[in-house]
Amino acid sequence: AQSVSQHNHHVILSEAASLELGCNYSYGGTVNLFWYVQYPGQHLQLLLKYFSGDPLVKGIKGFEAEFIKSKFSFNLRKPSVQWSDTAEYFCAVTSTSGTYKYIFGTGTRLKVLA
Amino acid sequence: DAGVIQSPRHEVTEMGQEVTLRCKPISGHDYLFWYRQTMMRGLELLIYFNNNVPIDDSGMPEDRFSAKMPNASFSTLKIQPSEPRDSAVYFCASSPFWGNRGGGDTQYFGPGTRLTVL
């Protein structure tokens, strides 16, 4: 069965620190990959997505993610976090064939200390 | 575009009462999803529709939950009777058809309905 694993459930960083959040998926076929962010008290919104092409994807607010097919990974990165990046981050995967199935990871809560 | 619209934003009810949550997806989107979010269980997909037809309701917790989509611009999620363990934030999301590329596209989430069952 398809699954998405986010290894870090809680991350605490100081402002200006670098961020990397892990995401691994389990699926043998071709996938589309997403990172969503949920700021406190708000709904999920898209940070970035990967469908094909350059495996390094740039999103909003300085975030980027790298798709490494051999590792089934799609890690999210930001060189220097800000207090306003405090939020919960969700990785999601869909397959490109068969039944439409959109699978979210369990989320990583990031707290950035000012 | 106004985005995905959900109502009410907050609902407080007593155990045993019927609760109806409403969602208006983004015009032109072919897919509509209902999610439940709790601290304990995270984000759970309850059901999704394609062109108003329910495709996968395997996430609906029990028969007390039902969802309908009578037309392309409106969906409801009903809980009858409600129980305290149903307290959660319920999100509706819509997504466009992905065409020949295959796979799902971006989901656009509504603001959610925070349900409290006393």
Side-chain angles (χ1 to χ4, degrees):
Chain A
Q2 294 177 354
S3 65
V4 177
S5 298
Q6 292 183 242
H7 317 296
N8 315 101
H9 298 293
H10 296 274
V11 174
I12 301 175
L13 295 172
S14 298
E15 274 195 316
S18 64
L19 170 72
E20 181 160 4
L21 302 182
C23 173
N24 285 90
Y25 65 93
S26 172
Y27 184 69
T30 306
V31 295
N32 294 336
L33 298 155
F34 307 81
W35 274 98
Y36 288 82
V37 61
Q38 185 178 27
Y39 296 105
Q42 297 188 25
H43 59 282
L44 278 78
Q45 52 191 290
L46 182 73
L47 259 184
L48 48 80
K49 61 184 179 183
Y50 172 80
F51 288 157
S52 63
D54 188 344
L56 185 61
V57 180
K58 293 192 184 300
I60 61 172
K61 304 186 180 185
F63 286 90
E64 65 179 29
E66 184 175 12
F67 172 50
I68 303 179
K69 189 175 181 180
S70 61
K71 295 185 177 181
F72 297 90
S73 70
F74 190 56
N75 292 354
L76 181 71
R77 299 194 295 247
K78 186 171 185 179
S80 176
V81 295
Q82 300 173 317
W83 177 80
S84 58
D85 294 324
T86 295
E88 189 160 15
Y89 295 81
F90 293 88
C91 181
V93 175
T94 72
S95 64
T96 61
S97 61
T99 304
Y100 182 108
K101 198 77 174 178
Y102 211 104
I103 301 175
F104 280 89
T106 52
T108 297
R109 294 194 174 191
L110 170 67
K111 182 169 185 176
V112 180
L113 304 175
Chain B
D1 197 319
V4 176
I5 299 172
Q6 290 187 248
S7 64
R9 295 292 306 277
H10 301 273
E11 176 81 30
V12 180
T13 190
E14 293 190 344
M15 182 174 64
Q17 296 298 306
E18 177 180 294
V19 175
T20 299
L21 311 181
R22 298 173 176 80
C23 175
K24 176 177 168 46
I26 293 173
S27 177
H29 282 189
D30 297 288
Y31 288 85
L32 183 139
F33 306 81
W34 282 101
Y35 291 91
R36 178 172 68 176
Q37 187 178 39
T38 62
M39 290 288 290
M40 293 293 294
R41 300 175 69 92
L43 191 65
E44 302 174 274
L45 175 64
L46 300 177
I47 184 171
Y48 78 89
F49 296 83
N50 179 20
N51 291 326
N52 314 336
V53 176
I55 303 300
D56 186 347
D57 65 354
S58 59
M60 296 286 261
E62 42 196 282
D63 292 344
R64 298 184 296 106
F65 286 69
S66 63
K68 294 182 180 180
M69 193 165 185
N71 57 62
S73 59
F74 184 66
S75 177
T76 60
L77 178 68
K78 186 175 294 186
I79 308 173
Q80 166 63 18
S82 58
E83 297 182 3
R85 59 192 169 119
D86 301 330
S87 297
V89 180
Y90 291 81
F91 288 104
C92 176
S94 69
S95 181
F97 178 59
W98 59 82
N100 294 328
R101 182 178 56 246
D105 206 331
T106 303
Q107 293 200 4
Y108 296 82
F109 283 77
T113 295
R114 183 174 294 277
L115 173 64
T116 302
V117 183
L118 303 175

